[in-house]
Amino acid sequence: MVSTETKSDTTRVAGILAEFDTAETLKHAASGLHEAGYARYEAYSPFPVHGLYKAMGRRRTILPVLVLGGGMTGCLVALLLQWWTNAVDYPYIISGKPLFSLPANIPITFEFIILLGALSAFGGVMVLNNLPELFHPLFGCSKFRRSTTDAFFIGVDVDDKNYDETETADLLRGLGATDVQIYHHPQSERRIPGIVTAVASLLVALALLPPLGIALVRFAPKSQPRIHLVTDMDHQPKYLPQQYSPLFEDTRAMRPPLPGTIAADAAIDNTHYQLGQVDGKPANTIPITITAQAMQRGRERYDIFCATCHGLAGDGDGITSQLAFEREEPKWVKPLSFYNKSVVDQPVGQLFQTISDGVRKMPGYKSQIPVEDRWAIVLYVRALQKSRNATIEDVPEELRKHLQTETTKSLN
Amino acid sequence: MTAIVDNDNTTQDPSRRAPLVLGAADCATVTETVSRIVERPQPPLAWYVALVVSAGVSGLLFAAVGYLIVTGIGVLGNNSPVAWGWPIVNFVFWIGIGHAGTLISAILFLFRQRWRTSINRFAEAMTVFAVACAGIFPAVHVGRIWLVYWLAPYPNQMSMWPNFRSPLLWDVVAISTYGTVSVLFWYLGMIPDLATLRDRAQSQWRRLFYGLLSLGWRGSASQWHRFEWAYLLLAALATPLVLSVHSVVSFDFAVSQLPGWHTTVLPPYFVAGAIFSGCAMVITLAVPARAFFGLKDLITMRHLENMNKLILGTSLLVGYSYGIELFMAWYGGNPYEFFAFANRAMGPYAWAYWLMVICNVLVPQLFWFKSIRTSPWIMWIIAAAVNVGMWMERFVIVVASLARDFLPSSWGMFRPSVVDVMMLVGSFGLFCTLFLLFCRFLPMVAMAEVKGVLPHGDVPEVDSTIGGNDS
């Protein structure tokens, strides 16, 4: 940005530089040049001289418009960001408050307006002032260095249509210039050496490789867990099986079971009752005493645990199933109707196993429903299946009359 | 205007305008006075001593932070029930300090208070450094600082977004906006002065350093025109910003349900307190700096007196807030609320409360006397007391409210750990280190602006495009 002053004829003239004593004469001269029809000239002062820019007849800067645009962009970005992230893509439900309401989103919106407004003010003044501009012919003029301390200058560019070395100089002297001189482009343009540019471009190109690699690793399908930088969850202070621990007398981290503990499998002494199996095959008989009470219990448990999916009558049309179809859940499998032949033909032991361990999408219920109740449910399901295709002959003789009168009554 | 060779510019005589700059000042002497501080080949020995001491003290901060990150959050005194301990106290304290800089540079600029020109650079630098100190505390106190990027809204494999309705996230956005805008404002105003240093530079390295920093500024009328607009617009943006930042910080407390925090007076109360503490910090730094660097003609007694008047005014605001808080606790009729305030004044932290009241409300009343407003060392002592008092205020708000909330069985006292103390002391070290480096390498006074307010530099006509009023 600094070069030695040169008077050599081989250098290109850049313009005329005139010095003035005070801000007042500078303003007068700037206005005089404007009246004389000059356009490509600048007045330089160590502090902003009010009225000078206007005296030069220049148009007001568009910076305020840029800042307004920046602020409005900030407002829009903030509102859209908050609405999309907190109300649509990941709705935050907090104390039943609305997902999007203006008051709760004002602080962020306000800060974004200020931030983008300020960034456009700073960016705008840089771009409009053509900064950074580290090389300029005036920097080669040793006199000009005083312009940032206490001197006032006018520089007329050689490209101005009215420029004439003697005429312009005379005009400037007439306008009160104390000193007029020609300034030149530096003899040798200070350029960045080619090797520096080449190395810098190469480094920039190389710097793109790591992000590319990361993007590749990030988005390519992998069978192994992905590499991650934060390994907080990988290293947890805990004991694994067969490890040493000084905490216990026997130095084993694994604790032996307490005396009298029975393993889960060891307690099975009646496979028919506990697993629904006889000789490794599903049992054909129900091992509990069949009473009206057991039937009633089975119905109650069925309505609590099973009916939400299977429906109160066992057609597979429970409320959960209906909702799943309504929402078009892609992975939902409708429960089989109990009146499907494949279910009707199943031995009771298989029904019991299905309730205990689950089938297809249905989870096992042995942790929630005790064995006795599971058999009661099986009993009730069998009764449901029987009732669907029953005739009056299936009803005990002494109840037939009662049932018939009751049915007639309710139909009427 | 006649040249007044009179070193008292604190007069209130309306028939003559007090000069803003003293001595036989012209553009050359202003440049000389400010630039020679940066240009002398060897700073005085005292500067080296001060730098070594404060850099050493700031080492405490970094050691404590390093230890905290490696070990975990348990090294701090924070624990149930006082989960927000000193880190938040220090954070609010430092953010508050930062407010005076923007007040002086932006609000006083919009009000055309031209006396601000000598101290605005100084105060802006103070803002930037205070925000830097403040930012460290919440960042390290989140625990896993390496996950701090979770605060940013970026698409991630968790398919989650930050909660934009949380005051803690408002806080992050407000503080980062404030830091960014403060730096931009500070740097933009400094570009013409950096160009002055570039043009005065004797060595190649200095020319390169200040040449790069000043970005090729030439001070042409077009550049000045856009510069002034940009400065005005930044001031106009920074003014509501400075009022909003401490309001948002106060939302961290006011939006919660805790008695003693959940009050609507908190935002204005915090803003007044912030300006109060910031002005006190300006006095704390300006009094020694002007004596030490020979800037008494630029940072005149009138500047200091004006700052002291601001301190007095904001002290009254802060005192009023303390009073209205107590009144509302009684008038509101909420027993928990009333207990929280009775506990502040008479509970286990009563010493902190009364120290706060003495330092913030009673001591600044001395500034009613002009003799005290204009004697440097007394005002320095008062300003130091205000700094202590404002730290105590944040301590009382954060710790005393948390220590005793709704359930007496979960009450507890807060004990700071060694790491807490190291971090607080170290943050002062960091602040002083940055400030000393600023004094040595950057123009401490806004030279171009001071030149504009020199008696002879005044061009009577006003640029109507800026809509200014040079009274």
Side-chain angles (χ1 to χ4, degrees):
Chain A
M1 87 221 77
V2 180
S3 80
T4 52
E5 198 171 3
T6 170
K7 297 272 188 280
S8 161
D9 293 341
T10 55
T11 59
R12 226 150 33 83
V13 171
I16 292 186
L17 188 67
E19 189 180 346
F20 294 86
D21 273 340
T22 63
E24 214 36 46
T25 50
L26 178 76
K27 201 157 88 178
H28 170 70
S31 149
L33 278 176
H34 175 56
E35 278 156 26
Y38 283 84
R40 304 201 51 159
Y41 68 99
E42 269 298 351
Y44 302 92
S45 57
F47 55 87
V49 178
H50 286 169
L52 177 60
Y53 187 73
K54 217 180 160 195
M56 289 160 64
R58 304 271 165 95
R59 284 227 326 262
R60 211 172 84 167
T61 176
I62 57 153
L63 195 63
V65 181
L66 294 182
V67 175
L68 180 69
M72 279 164 38
T73 312
C75 179
L76 201 66
V77 165
L79 285 175
L80 284 176
L81 177 73
Q82 293 178 90
W83 167 75
W84 168 252
T85 56
N86 282 188
V88 180
D89 195 41
Y90 192 85
Y92 272 98
I93 299 163
I94 300 161
S95 318
K97 290 169 193 160
L99 290 177
F100 185 79
S101 63
L102 211 47
N105 293 292
I106 288 288
I108 299 276
T109 311
F110 174 83
E111 301 297 341
F112 268 68
I113 292 173
I114 299 285
L115 182 65
L116 265 76
L119 288 175
S120 21
F122 187 80
V125 74
M126 287 295 129
V127 171
L128 293 174
N129 276 348
N130 197 23
L131 297 177
E133 187 183 14
L134 298 180
F135 299 91
H136 192 277
L138 277 173
F139 290 139
C141 225
S142 63
K143 238 176 142 51
F144 186 72
R145 287 187 202 154
R146 274 182 42 243
S147 74
T148 51
T149 298
D150 59 352
F152 302 89
F153 292 97
I154 283 184
V156 182
D157 202 290
V158 74
D159 295 332
D160 193 285
K161 62 179 175 8
N162 292 341
Y163 182 88
D164 180 278
E165 216 162 288
T166 48
E167 256 180 49
T168 309
D170 287 345
L171 175 66
L172 286 165
R173 279 196 199 91
L175 287 167
T178 53
D179 180 63
V180 177
Q181 71 168 74
I182 308 268
Y183 67 99
H184 299 81
H185 287 284
Q187 196 159 22
S188 59
E189 286 284 331
R190 290 239 169 162
R191 285 179 188 286
I192 300 167
I195 181 78
V196 174
T197 323
V199 169
S201 323
L202 188 68
L203 285 177
V204 169
L206 286 176
L208 289 175
L209 287 179
L212 269 178
I214 290 170
L216 200 69
V217 174
R218 178 80 181 73
F219 293 108
K222 290 188 78 177
S223 55
Q224 294 290 307
R226 291 179 193 281
I227 300 165
H228 52 283
L229 299 177
V230 181
T231 55
D232 286 354
M233 304 298 274
D234 293 8
H235 309 287
Q236 302 174 10
K238 68 178 178 199
Y239 285 122
L240 297 171
Q242 313 293 350
Q243 275 184 345
Y244 166 85
S245 166
L247 289 175
F248 303 103
E249 228 174 296
D250 61 2
T251 70
R252 286 194 292 176
M254 270 165 85
R255 302 314 301 146
L258 291 171
T261 308
I262 300 166
D265 297 346
I268 294 174
D269 47 10
N270 182 348
T271 55
H272 187 182
Y273 177 68
Q274 283 163 313
L275 300 178
Q277 283 178 355
V278 176
D279 303 330
K281 285 181 188 155
N284 285 312
T285 54
I286 293 176
I288 59 168
T289 326
I290 298 170
T291 59
Q293 216 178 356
M295 186 67 82
Q296 204 56 43
R297 175 80 180 164
R299 178 183 186 160
E300 187 203 5
R301 296 291 107 181
Y302 176 87
D303 288 355
I304 291 171
F305 288 104
C306 318
T308 49
C309 292
H310 289 280
L312 286 167
D315 294 292
D317 58 351
I319 187 77
T320 308
S321 192
Q322 287 178 27
L323 263 177
F325 276 104
E326 229 168 76
R327 293 185 183 172
E328 300 176 358
E329 291 287 341
K331 290 182 179 167
W332 181 254
V333 180
K334 190 187 173 188
L336 272 183
S337 163
F338 293 160
Y339 313 107
N340 189 306
K341 191 168 168 2
S342 65
V343 183
V344 175
D345 291 347
Q346 278 177 17
V348 285
Q350 195 179 342
L351 287 178
F352 180 85
Q353 280 174 30
T354 304
I355 297 174
S356 306
D357 302 323
V359 65
R360 292 188 297 273
K361 294 293 286 182
M362 174 179 163
Y365 280 82
K366 64 182 167 200
S367 56
Q368 290 109 302
I369 312 177
V371 176
E372 191 80 15
D373 287 349
R374 269 179 262 156
W375 281 117
I377 291 172
V378 170
L379 181 64
Y380 179 63
V381 168
R382 269 283 179 260
L384 279 177
Q385 287 171 332
K386 196 155 191 182
S387 68
R388 182 61 61 99
N389 297 312
T391 59
I392 195 71
E393 277 70 46
D394 293 328
V395 181
E397 197 110 24
E398 62 273 21
L399 290 175
R400 280 180 199 168
K401 197 162 177 62
H402 173 72
L403 186 68
Q404 274 164 338
T405 51
E406 285 297 304
T407 318
T408 325
K409 245 190 238 170
S410 68
L411 282 174
N412 293 337
Chain B
M1 176 164 294
T2 52
I4 301 154
V5 188
D6 177 2
N7 271 344
D8 176 24
N9 62 346
T10 61
T11 170
Q12 301 297 329
D13 179 3
S15 65
R16 75 180 173 89
R17 185 196 283 180
L20 297 170
V21 176
L22 296 177
D26 59 26
C27 289
T29 54
V30 169
T31 303
E32 183 60 31
T33 312
V34 178
S35 304
R36 73 162 173 245
I37 299 168
V38 184
E39 283 168 357
R40 62 186 150 196
Q42 284 284 317
L45 185 66
W47 183 85
Y48 283 111
V49 173
L51 185 70
V52 167
V53 170
S54 50
V57 174
S58 73
L60 281 181
L61 173 69
F62 292 110
V65 167
Y67 178 60
L68 187 151
I69 290 172
V70 170
T71 315
I73 203 75
V75 301
L76 296 175
N78 301 6
N79 212 332
S80 186
V82 186
W84 276 6
W86 277 24
I88 298 301
V89 176
N90 297 339
F91 159 67
V92 181
F93 173 75
W94 278 118
I95 277 293
I97 297 291
H99 276 54
T102 320
L103 173 94
I104 291 167
S105 43
I107 299 183
L108 297 187
F109 177 77
L110 291 186
F111 286 136
R112 301 279 157 182
Q113 295 294 309
R114 303 188 74 180
W115 58 271
R116 67 180 262 289
T117 49
S118 300
I119 48 172
N120 73 327
R121 170 73 39 74
F122 194 86
E124 283 164 33
M126 197 189 78
T127 293
V128 172
F129 303 149
V131 172
C133 288
I136 292 173
F137 288 99
V140 298
H141 139 283
V142 298
R144 296 182 190 169
I145 192 171
W146 51 93
L147 294 179
V148 86
Y149 63 91
W150 282 4
L151 288 164
Y154 70 103
N156 53 58
Q157 82 283 8
M158 299 177 281
S159 296
M160 281 177 78
W161 295 100
N163 178 8
F164 283 109
R165 281 170 288 166
S166 158
L168 297 181
L169 198 69
W170 300 348
D171 204 11
V172 173
V173 176
I175 300 300
S176 25
T177 302
Y178 188 49
T180 312
V181 174
S182 300
V183 170
L184 289 182
F185 201 42
W186 182 51
Y187 180 58
L188 180 70
M190 203 151 52
I191 288 174
D193 292 346
L194 290 168
T196 306
L197 291 177
R198 169 200 68 199
D199 290 344
R200 286 169 56 95
Q202 296 302 321
S203 77
Q204 194 70 32
W205 283 112
R206 290 184 72 85
R207 212 169 294 169
L208 185 67
F209 178 68
Y210 292 112
L212 286 175
L213 279 183
S214 61
L215 307 174
W217 174 266
R218 292 189 304 282
S220 69
S222 312
Q223 285 186 340
W224 276 121
H225 172 72
R226 298 181 193 113
F227 172 89
E228 287 207 282
W229 264 108
Y231 200 79
L232 177 75
L233 289 165
L234 275 179
L237 289 167
T239 298
L241 178 66
V242 70
L243 298 179
S244 84
V245 170
H246 230 53
S247 301
V248 168
V249 170
S250 81
F251 288 159
D252 290 344
F253 303 96
V255 176
S256 78
Q257 305 291 316
L258 195 72
W261 287 5
H262 189 60
T263 53
T264 48
V265 76
L266 235 52
Y269 162 23
F270 265 52
V271 172
I275 292 167
F276 179 53
S277 65
C279 292
M281 191 56 103
V282 170
I283 291 289
T284 316
L285 293 176
V287 168
R290 75 194 269 275
F292 192 67
F293 294 110
L295 291 171
K296 283 184 179 170
D297 286 345
L298 293 179
I299 303 175
T300 65
M301 190 50 77
R302 183 185 166 86
H303 294 107
L304 300 183
E305 200 199 353
N306 280 344
M307 292 308 295
N308 291 337
K309 287 177 184 168
L310 266 175
I311 291 177
L312 179 59
T314 42
S315 159
L316 293 175
L317 276 176
V318 167
Y320 175 75
S321 302
Y322 296 162
I324 208 75
E325 247 186 352
L326 287 176
F327 172 75
M328 287 312 293
W330 167 75
Y331 187 68
N334 181 335
Y336 296 103
E337 191 77 10
F338 186 75
F339 170 79
F341 284 94
N343 180 53
R344 277 187 193 176
M346 291 176 293
Y349 291 109
W351 57 272
Y353 182 83
W354 292 109
L355 188 57
M356 161 189 108
V357 171
I358 290 167
C359 290
N360 292 351
V361 185
L362 300 182
V363 173
Q365 301 307 318
L366 291 169
F367 280 147
W368 286 106
F369 303 102
K370 184 172 175 181
S371 57
I372 288 176
R373 281 206 304 273
T374 52
S375 55
W377 295 107
I378 296 181
M379 75 171 85
W380 191 87
I381 290 166
I382 295 175
V386 170
N387 287 328
V388 172
M390 285 309 292
W391 193 87
M392 280 300 158
E393 180 195 301
R394 279 62 179 253
F395 178 80
V396 166
I397 292 174
V398 173
V399 174
S401 304
L402 282 170
R404 297 196 162 182
D405 62 357
F406 300 98
L407 209 58
S409 62
S410 53
W411 286 357
M413 292 291 282
F414 176 79
R415 302 239 181 287
S417 71
V418 179
V419 177
D420 276 317
V421 179
M422 278 167 72
M423 280 175 68
L424 173 62
V425 175
S427 66
F428 278 95
L430 177 63
F431 183 73
C432 294
T433 308
L434 292 171
F435 202 79
L436 285 165
L437 292 175
F438 162 70
C439 292
R440 174 78 184 113
F441 294 107
L442 294 174
M444 214 191 323
V445 171
M447 292 182 271
E449 278 196 49
V450 172
K451 287 171 193 170
V453 300
L454 289 175
H456 72 88
D458 245 335
V459 179
E461 203 177 311
V462 177
D463 188 347
S464 60
T465 54
I466 298 288
N469 171 10
D470 281 7
S471 58

